[in-house]
Amino acid sequence: AVAVVAAETFEDRLAIGMPDILRDVPGVLANKRYGEESRLSIRGSGIGQGFHQRGVLIAENGVSFADADGFSDFQKVDVLTARLVEVYKGGNALRFGGAQLGGAVNLVTTNGRTTPSTLLLRAEGGSYDSWRGQATAGGVIGKFDLYGSINGYKADGYRERSDSEQLRGTINLGYRLGEDSEIRLIATAATIEQGVPGTLTLAQTRANPRQASAAALAGRWSRDQDVRRVTLQTRLRLSEGLVFEGGVYATGTDLRHPIPIVIEQDIHTEGAFGRFDLSGEIGGHRADLFFGASFRTGAVDQQIYANNAGNNGMKMGDALQKASGLDLFAEGRFFVTPELALVAGASWGHASRDFTNRLANRGDETEFEWLAPRFGALWERGGTQVYFNVTKSIEPPAF
């Protein structure tokens, strides 16, 4: 129940968001709404969420893109920097923690050692005045490797107010500590302006499917954001059968989002993670184990205004939303025979939500705690596997 999508499968087409990358992965529903806005569901999780990220962990090299409460945007992901995309369905996402119902989508990024070209220039153009250009450079200098990418995108979109303008940049610097050990710094920044066309009735769609809703036109609906993200992570081969992967990260987002109201948010999220992967034998039987922890904390400073033709009207909300989460997780496999393994694992999690309504001078807070076990069996011979899993899944609510 794990799929891998290589970058070569979407390099010859205009891949903008998750639906363009994951469209052929079984068990994944990825519907494009407009621009990069999508509905993403794995095995039905979050299927009622028609917008933004929920129910599925979106990660880059194992580092979550989500805010501290688990809610986020697909637009923060730069698909052109991916070397490959891993899809972990359901409980198979346990290796990233335990607080996502549908699974995880992990982008493994290109670096100076894996870049297919020292210098790459890319230009694309198409319908609805769509244009995108990218320039990348990368290579290896001794123990160092360096990769940089900058790309811009502009499109009018199929519908009114579905236009997009984006500018993204990435720097990926690595230092090799040994044959299978390294430390890596990744810094990204993006400016994203996305129009929001709104929803239509069936009759309106049949009459003119390219129109925006009257409310979207009058209110100049959009979702504009500036994103900054830094990750420092390492992979250490501690012995022949033991590997450690871990790191720290921080993300900042400035969001302006006129819809029927105007939402302005200043978002910051920080986190740390670590995982040990151990493989060997127990009593002459093959066995492996991974265990680790994931912690995140952050806050959303949110202002809400009445929408006055896209401008800020009367102030309607002033809130501070604080969230944190901690996951401890482990899973082991013991091969009773060379072809049959028993699988057992679990995650323990704790999450907090603290909401302060500064306009009304009141607030509240709550906490969630859970234990989610997992049991299964795996039979494999050659390239064939048959497996059975029973997994408890938990997702604490987002703001």
Side-chain angles (χ1 to χ4, degrees):
V2 174
V4 176
V5 181
E8 288 81 0
T9 63
F10 55 82
E11 69 178 359
D12 292 333
R13 50 188 167 88
L14 189 66
I16 300 298
M18 287 295 165
D20 299 317
I21 299 174
L22 304 178
R23 66 183 191 182
D24 299 323
V25 180
V28 176
L29 174 67
N31 293 146
K32 182 183 289 287
R33 297 183 67 224
Y34 54 87
E36 292 173 76
E37 188 57 70
S38 313
R39 179 176 65 161
L40 178 64
S41 172
I42 299 180
R43 295 179 171 177
S45 175
I47 200 167
Q49 183 78 5
F51 49 87
H52 308 316
Q53 173 190 343
R54 185 178 178 184
V56 175
L57 175 71
I58 308 296
E60 180 183 76
N61 301 319
V63 181
S64 172
F65 273 98
D67 302 335
D69 67 343
F71 190 77
S72 192
D73 284 298
F74 299 111
Q75 290 94 331
K76 293 182 180 180
V77 179
D78 185 357
V79 299
L80 288 185
T81 62
R83 187 69 190 90
L84 56 91
V85 181
E86 303 170 327
V87 182
Y88 297 82
K89 303 170 190 175
N92 291 289
L94 182 64
R95 65 187 298 105
F96 296 105
Q100 59 281 325
L101 293 176
V105 177
N106 182 45
L107 282 77
V108 179
T109 58
T110 304
N111 57 51
R113 297 186 182 277
T114 62
T115 179
S117 176
T118 303
L119 178 64
L120 172 69
L121 300 177
R122 174 188 183 118
E124 299 170 89
S127 303
Y128 315 115
D129 201 20
S130 300
W131 301 97
R132 182 166 67 178
Q134 182 192 28
T136 73
V140 179
I141 306 174
K143 293 185 177 181
F144 288 92
D145 68 86
L146 177 64
Y147 173 82
S149 169
I150 183 168
N151 69 78
Y153 171 67
K154 174 189 176 299
D156 289 344
Y158 175 73
R159 295 177 59 195
E160 294 178 283
R161 292 214 64 80
S162 62
D163 54 301
S164 298
E165 287 191 18
Q166 304 173 8
L167 181 64
R168 304 175 184 271
T170 297
I171 294 291
N172 188 322
L173 175 64
Y175 180 76
R176 178 151 287 189
L177 302 173
E179 182 63 28
D180 192 22
S181 299
E182 67 175 18
I183 185 168
R184 187 165 298 280
L185 175 68
I186 304 175
T188 62
T191 296
I192 305 165
E193 297 181 358
Q194 172 70 65
V196 177
T199 57
L200 302 175
T201 66
L202 180 58
Q204 289 173 326
T205 304
R206 285 174 170 166
N208 179 10
R210 299 187 62 177
Q211 65 178 310
S213 70
L217 291 172
R220 300 178 182 175
W221 291 8
S222 65
R223 189 171 181 86
D224 305 332
Q225 51 189 317
D226 295 322
V227 183
R228 306 161 301 279
R229 176 179 169 91
V230 177
T231 302
L232 179 64
Q233 58 191 112
T234 186
R235 173 183 172 90
L236 300 174
R237 170 69 65 176
L238 303 176
S239 67
E240 182 180 351
L242 181 61
V243 174
F244 170 78
E245 293 184 73
V248 294
Y249 64 95
T251 304
T253 305
D254 296 322
L255 171 72
R256 177 173 170 78
H257 189 21
I259 38 176
I261 55 176
V262 178
I263 302 172
E264 292 188 349
Q265 294 181 336
D266 180 6
I267 309 168
H268 68 85
T269 305
E270 301 81 38
F273 68 97
R275 185 182 68 247
F276 290 90
D277 285 276
L278 179 64
S279 60
E281 292 186 351
I282 299 177
H285 295 265
R286 183 159 62 100
D288 53 54
L289 169 72
F290 68 77
F291 60 92
S294 174
F295 174 76
R296 63 266 178 206
T297 183
V300 178
D301 190 339
Q302 176 175 276
Q303 317 293 317
I304 297 178
Y305 303 89
N307 187 333
N308 183 12
N311 300 310
N312 293 358
M314 180 185 67
K315 194 171 191 177
M316 303 171 61
D318 184 349
L320 182 63
Q321 306 170 359
K322 296 180 180 179
S324 69
L326 173 65
D327 293 301
L328 305 178
F329 53 91
E331 180 179 298
R333 300 189 304 174
F334 179 75
F335 284 81
V336 181
T337 71
E339 297 177 340
L340 178 63
L342 301 180
V343 181
S347 68
W348 174 87
H350 179 273
S352 69
R353 304 287 185 262
D354 186 340
F355 183 88
T356 301
N357 183 337
R358 291 180 293 208
L359 205 60
N361 194 27
R362 62 178 182 171
D364 203 354
E365 58 184 294
T366 187
E367 296 183 350
F368 306 89
E369 192 171 296
W370 63 89
L371 177 66
R374 183 186 196 204
F375 304 97
L378 171 71
W379 177 88
E380 60 181 7
R381 177 181 292 174
T384 302
Q385 288 187 338
V386 178
Y387 66 92
F388 168 79
N389 291 316
V390 176
T391 306
K392 181 179 180 181
S393 295
I394 301 290
E395 183 185 342
F399 279 110

